[in-house]
Amino acid sequence: MSKGWLRAIASTPALAESIQIVGLVDLNRATAESLAKEFSLDGAVIGSDLAEVIAATKADLVFDIVIPAARFGVVSTALKAGCHVLSEKPMATSLAEGTALIKLAAETGKVHAIIQNRRFISGIRRMRRFVEEGAIGELTGVHCDFFLGPHFGGFREEMDNVLLLDMAIHTFDAARFVSGKVPLSVYCLEKNPVGSWYKHGASAHALFDFSDDVVFSYRGSWCAEGRRTSWESEWRLTGSKGMLTWDGEENFEAAVAGNEPGLLHGFTPIEVPGPKHEEETHGHASVIASFIEAIKTGKSPETASSDNIRSLAMVLGAIESAKTGRRVDISAQGQ
């Protein structure tokens, strides 16, 4: 995953000019050495102890790209050492840990944000604009389908709640962003279907109650062989005047009610405008740029941990619901 971050920095002139990679830390030193060679980071200090490498390099920032179980220790160490931190998702493995990291960032005066790169793509930005401009009236529902069968190998295949914790958070976070609503409660059914190559939780169906009577439904599987959906999910937004669909790739369709007499009134197609700000559509590069801008200006980044904990609360609420078989209130979480 670190390669995606490094490619984004190297291929974006503004980032390449403002960020110097001064150290690489990995429990397996050979892995860091290989990465340094691949990206020509000849001057980077290589080590297996984060605190030591921060001290040796006098780093200002830490890019946290570790497995979720290691996140709390890495972020805590970096913040206490005086570094701003941009983390992979999820921001923590529990709300208690997430809250503690938010508090620590405030105490140290450092920026702590999460790289929710999938909200920084053209399709998500276009849907957000479409909702904000009221093209289909008042939003009533957000509905997403996600069906793929990736064979990763490695840590994902050994995780508990793999779909919800490692992938669904992207769609959950994007739904929260697109709708502009607050998640209130969730009911979730989680399965590990016959034929799954994951240890646990490769499939989930979740139904969220958002503020203002908006419903968000999610159907997903990470062990679905056959014709797949987009990695960004397939979307349907319903409103008081019409609907929008997006296939997660290039195809948008939107329409409002028509004027045909009878049972069904038909529909009238409408345009789906492009994103308001093109610079917000470059995935990792856009998130990193937002992070750097926040450090320079003091303005809170869009994916600040103090806000993104709401997306974590959606995931953990869904996991709790799946375990208990009950609807879970998440309105008080992530405050």
Side-chain angles (χ1 to χ4, degrees), residues 217-233:
S217 66
Y218 173 86
R219 303 186 301 181
S221 174
W222 236 358
C223 60
E225 297 287 17
R227 186 171 181 176
R228 65 175 179 84
T229 65
S230 164
W231 281 90
E232 313 308 334
S233 298

Side-chain angles (χ1 to χ4, degrees), residues 93-94 159-162 164-165 186-191 200-201 203-205 315-328:
T93 59
S94 70
M159 285 178 62
D160 288 337
N161 314 107
V162 62
L164 288 171
L165 195 58
V186 59
Y187 178 78
C188 181
L189 181 66
E190 183 185 49
K191 298 289 185 180
H200 182 266
S203 175
H205 292 62
V315 170
L316 297 181
I319 291 172
E320 182 182 347
S321 175
K323 287 180 178 178
T324 63
R326 298 178 180 177
R327 177 177 177 269
V328 171

Side-chain angles (χ1 to χ4, degrees), residues 192-205:
N192 203 38
V194 173
S196 172
W197 47 94
Y198 297 88
K199 184 183 79 171
H200 182 266
S203 175
H205 292 62

Side-chain angles (χ1 to χ4, degrees), residues 45-60:
V45 174
I46 306 295
S48 57
D49 185 285
L50 176 60
E52 290 179 0
V53 173
I54 291 174
T57 59
K58 296 180 171 59
D60 303 301

Side-chain angles (χ1 to χ4, degrees), residues 156-176:
R156 287 183 181 86
E157 295 189 3
E158 298 302 318
M159 285 178 62
D160 288 337
N161 314 107
V162 62
L163 179 66
L164 288 171
L165 195 58
D166 194 62
M167 187 63 206
I169 190 169
H170 283 302
T171 307
F172 291 5
D173 180 73
R176 189 171 66 86

Side-chain angles (χ1 to χ4, degrees), residues 53-285:
V53 173
I54 291 174
T57 59
K58 296 180 171 59
D60 303 301
L61 323 172
V62 165
F63 292 152
D64 155 37
I65 318 171
V66 299
I67 63 173
R71 180 140 299 123
F72 183 80
V74 165
V75 177
S76 297
T77 297
L79 290 173
K80 290 176 182 177
C83 293
H84 304 285
V85 182
L86 183 60
S87 282
E88 262 294 345
K89 51 76 200 160
M91 64 171 286
T93 59
S94 70
L95 287 174
E97 285 189 352
T99 301
L101 292 177
I102 291 170
K103 182 179 179 182
L104 183 58
E107 290 173 349
T108 57
K110 298 302 175 182
V111 177
H112 176 214
I114 315 304
I115 196 154
Q116 293 287 0
N117 54 297
R118 281 196 160 92
R119 68 157 65 187
F120 285 83
I121 61 175
S122 179
I124 298 298
R125 294 283 155 168
R126 291 177 72 181
M127 286 195 293
R128 168 75 178 215
R129 177 181 181 181
F130 193 78
V131 169
E132 286 180 329
E133 294 179 353
I136 54 173
E138 293 294 323
L139 186 69
T140 59
V142 178
H143 309 284
C144 296
D145 280 349
F146 177 88
F147 292 93
L148 290 95
H151 295 260
F152 292 108
F155 75 93
R156 287 183 181 86
E157 295 189 3
E158 298 302 318
M159 285 178 62
D160 288 337
N161 314 107
V162 62
L163 179 66
L164 288 171
L165 195 58
D166 194 62
M167 187 63 206
I169 190 169
H170 283 302
T171 307
F172 291 5
D173 180 73
R176 189 171 66 86
F177 173 70
V178 167
S179 68
K181 306 302 181 183
V182 176
L184 303 177
S185 66
V186 59
Y187 178 78
C188 181
L189 181 66
E190 183 185 49
K191 298 289 185 180
N192 203 38
V194 173
S196 172
W197 47 94
Y198 297 88
K199 184 183 79 171
H200 182 266
S203 175
H205 292 62
L207 185 64
F208 289 87
D209 181 23
F210 279 8
S211 56
D212 298 322
D213 290 327
V214 172
V215 173
F216 167 46
S217 66
Y218 173 86
R219 303 186 301 181
S221 174
W222 236 358
C223 60
E225 297 287 17
R227 186 171 181 176
R228 65 175 179 84
T229 65
S230 164
W231 281 90
E232 313 308 334
S233 298
E234 292 180 349
W235 293 68
R236 182 181 297 270
L237 307 184
T238 59
S240 57
K241 297 180 180 179
M243 283 191 287
L244 173 144
T245 60
W246 177 46
D247 68 354
E249 295 176 348
E250 302 298 326
N251 298 316
F252 278 88
E253 292 184 7
V256 293
N259 298 303
E260 298 176 14
L263 179 65
L264 299 175
H265 291 180
F267 61 90
T268 301
I270 58 175
E271 181 183 357
V272 181
K276 281 185 178 179
H277 305 290
E278 192 275 339
E279 68 272 15
E280 296 176 346
T281 64
H282 301 296
H284 281 80

Side-chain angles (χ1 to χ4, degrees), residues 21-36 41 43-57 66 74:
I21 304 299
V22 295
L24 296 171
V25 182
D26 199 289
L27 294 177
N28 184 344
R29 185 183 178 92
T31 299
E33 290 173 344
S34 176
L35 197 67
L41 302 174
V45 174
I46 306 295
S48 57
D49 185 285
L50 176 60
E52 290 179 0
V53 173
I54 291 174
T57 59
V66 299
V74 165

